[in-house]
Amino acid sequence: MTAAVILGVAADAAFGDPRHGHPVALFGSLAARFERVCYRPTRRAGAVYAAILVGGAAALGALLERLLPRTLVRAAALWVALGGRSLAREAGAVGELVASDDLPGARRRIRSLVGRDPQQLDATGLSRAVVESVAENTVDAVIAPLVWVAVGGAPGVLAHRAVNTLDAMVGNRSARYERFGTSAARADDVMNWPAARLAATLTVLFGGRGALHAWRHDAAAHPSPNAGPIEAAFAGALGLTLGGTLSYAGRVEHRPRLGDGRDPDPADIARAVALARRIGLATALLAVAAPAVSRRVLSPADRRSSRGWPGKASSEDGNPDHPSRRRRRG
């Protein structure tokens, strides 16, 4: 597992997302075609849809691990799931456009990062949207893949990537997906829950008391159980105020304020990216160390189990009642 994590992280840092034929894009195309076949405006239909696609992704990972070298399969799966380099590149590009007062260009470019309507966003609103996106997508595209590859190998990380993709496609509250997308959205909440708390904890370690204060006091008011902790922690760590009013597909939402600092500016985008890189690297180091730690923790129990019950030797060498030590009669 250690080599797989190192190779996967290194591939993302060196190459980023594949330019053409990205497996996630291919999965999205397959999911869109399957939706046209099985769509019904019901939660049951959405659950079947999500279960088949996510189960298929996990099964593919398990099959590849059986057929090919496991380390290479896990490394490739992690590379496919990670998006740290692309996230930093897109966030930085928007920040440069805002800093140069090219707000129309920034509004066009930011569409690759956020789903909100950008047309009415000024420089502060664009900067706020990018910082929030960096925080949330660091969980989705960096921390969670590392957690799931460490826990479940290729099947785990591919299942998470499938769930996260389906949530982006159908996990919204539009008229079409309000019921059909419920299972995908809830599965995404469940699979990202550990990663969001780990990311927020690491943000507190790097960001200090302000991050902890914002997480404890503001995160619960956020409508997302996972975006709330990490966005609040980022706000506190960077000394900013995030949240507020935004618009999705013409629908206005009044999000709670996160943090009690100043409004973001373009320079804060680079600070958010730097913070995201630090917590991503810390998580990678934890994923690399996890197998060694687990072996050290489990080895005493394994040694005890190999000796049988405490105080009783189970092998023929130390147990006078062992069948091999009994005298045969007759």
Side-chain angles (χ1 to χ4, degrees):
M1 181 63 72
T2 296
V5 172
I6 293 173
L7 289 172
V9 171
D12 179 63
F15 308 115
D17 291 332
R19 293 290 185 180
H20 304 286
H22 196 302
V24 175
L26 296 176
F27 174 83
S29 298
L30 175 64
R33 293 180 182 179
F34 187 47
E35 180 192 337
R36 290 195 290 269
V37 174
C38 72
Y39 176 81
R40 304 289 186 280
T42 65
R43 288 190 174 93
R44 178 176 296 180
V48 172
Y49 166 82
I52 290 174
L53 290 170
V54 175
L60 176 62
L63 177 63
L64 292 175
E65 283 196 354
R66 292 178 64 89
L67 297 178
L68 299 172
R70 182 175 297 178
T71 295
L72 293 181
V73 171
R74 290 179 174 178
L78 181 58
W79 177 33
V80 166
L82 287 172
R85 175 168 175 164
S86 298
L87 175 62
R89 182 185 65 240
E90 293 301 312
V94 176
E96 291 176 1
L97 291 169
V98 176
S100 63
D101 291 326
D102 184 1
L103 298 189
R107 292 178 185 125
R108 289 191 297 270
R109 190 69 182 257
I110 201 174
R111 292 184 184 278
S112 65
L113 289 173
V114 302
R116 70 189 69 179
D117 298 330
Q119 294 306 314
Q120 303 304 317
L121 295 178
D122 58 10
T124 298
L126 288 164
S127 299
R128 178 179 290 114
V130 175
V131 172
E132 291 174 0
S133 178
V134 168
E136 183 176 4
N137 283 303
T138 294
V139 172
D140 291 347
V142 179
I143 310 303
L146 288 166
V147 168
W148 281 104
V149 78
V151 171
V157 72
L158 291 182
H160 171 265
R161 185 75 271 171
V163 165
N164 194 244
T165 302
L166 294 180
D167 178 57
M169 294 176 65
V170 305
N172 56 70
R173 297 182 180 180
S174 65
R176 177 177 175 85
Y177 296 127
E178 185 174 7
R179 297 175 66 83
F180 183 80
T182 298
S183 292
R186 290 181 178 173
D188 186 71
D189 287 343
V190 170
M191 295 197 77
N192 275 336
W193 195 95
R197 274 72 194 167
L198 173 60
T201 300
L202 292 172
T203 303
V204 169
L205 292 178
F206 290 117
R209 291 185 177 181
L212 179 61
H213 177 83
W215 180 8
R216 292 179 59 185
H217 288 83
D218 300 334
H222 197 285
S224 169
N226 295 324
I230 188 61
E231 289 184 17
F234 260 59
L238 299 173
L240 303 175
T241 295
L242 302 178
T245 301
L246 49 85
S247 174
Y248 283 98
R251 187 181 73 254
V252 175
E253 291 188 16
H254 299 285
R255 296 282 179 88
R257 292 285 182 174
L258 306 174
D260 55 7
R262 57 179 174 79
D263 289 332
D265 60 39
D268 294 315
I269 295 174
R271 296 174 62 222
V273 169
L275 177 58
R277 283 176 172 153
R278 288 197 293 271
I279 66 174
L281 177 59
T283 305
L285 293 175
L286 290 174
V288 166
V293 172
S294 64
R295 284 194 297 270
R296 290 178 64 87
V297 170
L298 294 175
S299 58
D302 293 341
R303 289 196 295 269
R304 286 195 297 271
S305 65
S306 68
R307 292 195 299 266
W309 292 100
K312 269 193 179 181
S314 59
S315 67
E316 57 181 301
D317 292 334
N319 187 355
D321 294 325
H322 192 280
S324 65
R325 299 293 298 274
R326 294 175 185 164
R327 295 176 182 266
R328 295 189 179 186
R329 296 181 180 178

